[in-house]
């Protein structure tokens, strides 16, 4: 039998050569798995970092929203205070109540575009009243300034809400990626450990 193998040009490998072959195979697989694992690990770490940053951003946005809501109400309250002091004493109760009702609408949770339309209409009406009642231009300018600040607060609120929505969408897609990558990450970690142990065993057999 031995003669037949040699005659066919097939050489039996020595034990040392067989062990070297096994060692090389484990080294090659270990290198491949480690490369994929490192790439995946880096990606998962980045996702976790992004998620953590998003959580911090959301907390800051929530705080900022509360500040803006309060500021917006304060600006309208200041505008109403100015009118109550300088214009209302010169108006009949029905007209004064109508102005209060308009301010109440402006104070509500409305889109900045709708707020702009209501504000323009309000200021136009106020312009007529101040001219009719002989109230100085200063009241008009101060009221407009406060209402503009209130609308700016609402604009920023809208931007924050849109940013929050974008963060939620990004989070959702990242969570899909994480749930897709984690099983492979775990599998690679297990395979690397197996090959490291096997490599350690076979390298000792070479000695």
């Amino acid at each position: 039998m031995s003669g037949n193998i040699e005659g066919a040009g097939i050489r039996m490998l020595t034990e040392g050569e067989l062990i070297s072959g096994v060692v090389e195979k484990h080294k090659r697989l270990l290198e491949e798995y480690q490369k994929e694992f490192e790439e995946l690990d880096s990606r998962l770490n980045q996702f976790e970092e992004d998620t953590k940053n998003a959580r911090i951003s959301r907390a800051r946005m929530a705080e900022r929203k509360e500040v803006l809501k309060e500021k917006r109400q304060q600006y309208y309250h200041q505008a109403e205070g100015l009118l109550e002091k300088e214009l209302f004493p010169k108006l009949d109760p029905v007209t004064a109540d109508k102005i209060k009702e308009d301010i109440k609408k402006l104070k509500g949770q409305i889109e900045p575009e709708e707020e702009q339309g209501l504000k323009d209409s309000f200021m136009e009406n106020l312009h007529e009243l101040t001219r009719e009642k002989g109230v100085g231009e200063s009241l008009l300018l101060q009221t407009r300034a406060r209402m503009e600040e209130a609308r700016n607060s609402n604009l920023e609120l809208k931007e924050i809400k849109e940013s929050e929505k974008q963060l939620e969408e990004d989070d959702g897609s990242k969570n899909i990626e994480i749930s897709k990558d984690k099983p492979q990450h775990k599998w690679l970690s297990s395979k690397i450990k197996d090959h490291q142990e096997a490599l350690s065993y076979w390298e000792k057999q070479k000695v």
Side-chain angles (χ1 to χ4, degrees):
M1 185 70 183
S2 175
N4 287 344
I5 291 172
E6 283 172 11
I10 297 166
R11 186 178 70 80
M12 295 294 284
L13 294 172
T14 65
E15 190 184 342
E17 287 172 327
L18 278 168
I19 290 169
S20 289
V22 171
V23 165
E24 283 310 308
K25 184 193 83 169
H26 284 299
K27 274 185 178 175
R28 189 183 75 251
L29 288 169
L30 192 57
E31 197 178 309
E32 284 173 18
Y33 288 147
Q34 277 177 329
K35 188 185 174 194
E36 190 184 344
F37 178 84
E38 280 164 18
E39 286 170 4
L40 212 51
D41 200 52
S42 173
R43 233 161 70 125
L44 285 169
N45 284 337
Q46 188 58 56
F47 284 152
E48 280 173 22
E49 185 67 24
D50 291 346
T51 303
K52 183 182 153 193
N53 289 338
R55 205 161 44 238
I56 293 164
S57 292
R58 269 198 297 271
R60 283 185 186 147
M61 284 176 183
E63 284 173 20
R64 183 64 183 155
K65 278 198 305 186
E66 288 310 307
V67 168
L68 288 167
K69 283 175 190 173
E70 201 174 309
K71 272 175 76 176
R72 184 169 174 264
Q73 294 303 313
Q74 276 177 358
Y75 285 126
Y76 278 124
H77 183 69
Q78 286 170 10
E80 193 171 3
L82 284 167
L83 296 173
E84 277 180 349
K85 186 182 171 186
E86 296 184 38
L87 180 65
F88 284 11
K90 300 183 179 187
L91 300 176
D92 62 88
V94 174
T95 307
D97 284 347
K98 171 75 171 65
I99 290 173
K100 284 180 185 177
E101 195 56 40
D102 288 344
I103 291 172
K104 193 178 174 183
K105 277 183 200 169
L106 280 159
K107 276 181 175 179
Q109 288 187 355
I110 53 175
E111 289 290 306
E113 295 76 18
E114 188 187 347
E115 188 175 12
Q116 181 67 53
L118 287 172
K119 182 175 79 71
D120 289 346
S121 172
F122 180 87
M123 290 309 299
E124 202 176 306
N125 183 42
L126 192 65
H127 183 72
E128 290 297 318
L129 280 171
T130 51
R131 193 173 57 184
E132 191 183 300
K133 302 297 176 184
V135 178
E137 185 79 10
S138 170
L139 176 65
L140 206 61
L141 293 171
Q142 286 182 72
T143 306
R144 181 180 282 116
R146 278 161 179 78
M147 288 195 162
E148 196 54 42
E149 287 294 344
R151 184 177 169 272
N152 287 340
S153 295
N154 205 14
L155 272 171
E156 194 181 333
L157 269 168
K158 187 181 180 180
E159 285 167 12
I160 289 172
K161 284 172 189 171
E162 284 167 2
S163 297
E164 282 178 325
K165 193 180 170 189
Q166 188 60 52
L167 272 177
E168 270 180 44
E169 285 172 14
D170 292 347
D171 265 4
S173 59
K174 280 192 178 78
N175 287 334
I176 290 166
E177 290 292 324
I178 287 168
S179 60
K180 192 176 76 179
D181 287 346
K182 272 203 168 174
Q184 179 70 358
H185 184 264
K186 192 179 175 184
W187 182 84
L188 286 167
S189 177
S190 172
K191 282 290 172 189
I192 287 165
K193 191 182 171 200
D194 290 347
H195 283 291
Q196 281 171 336
E197 285 171 1
L199 191 59
S200 175
Y201 171 81
W202 286 109
E203 280 183 329
K204 281 174 190 166
Q205 304 310 307
K206 280 171 74 176
V207 179

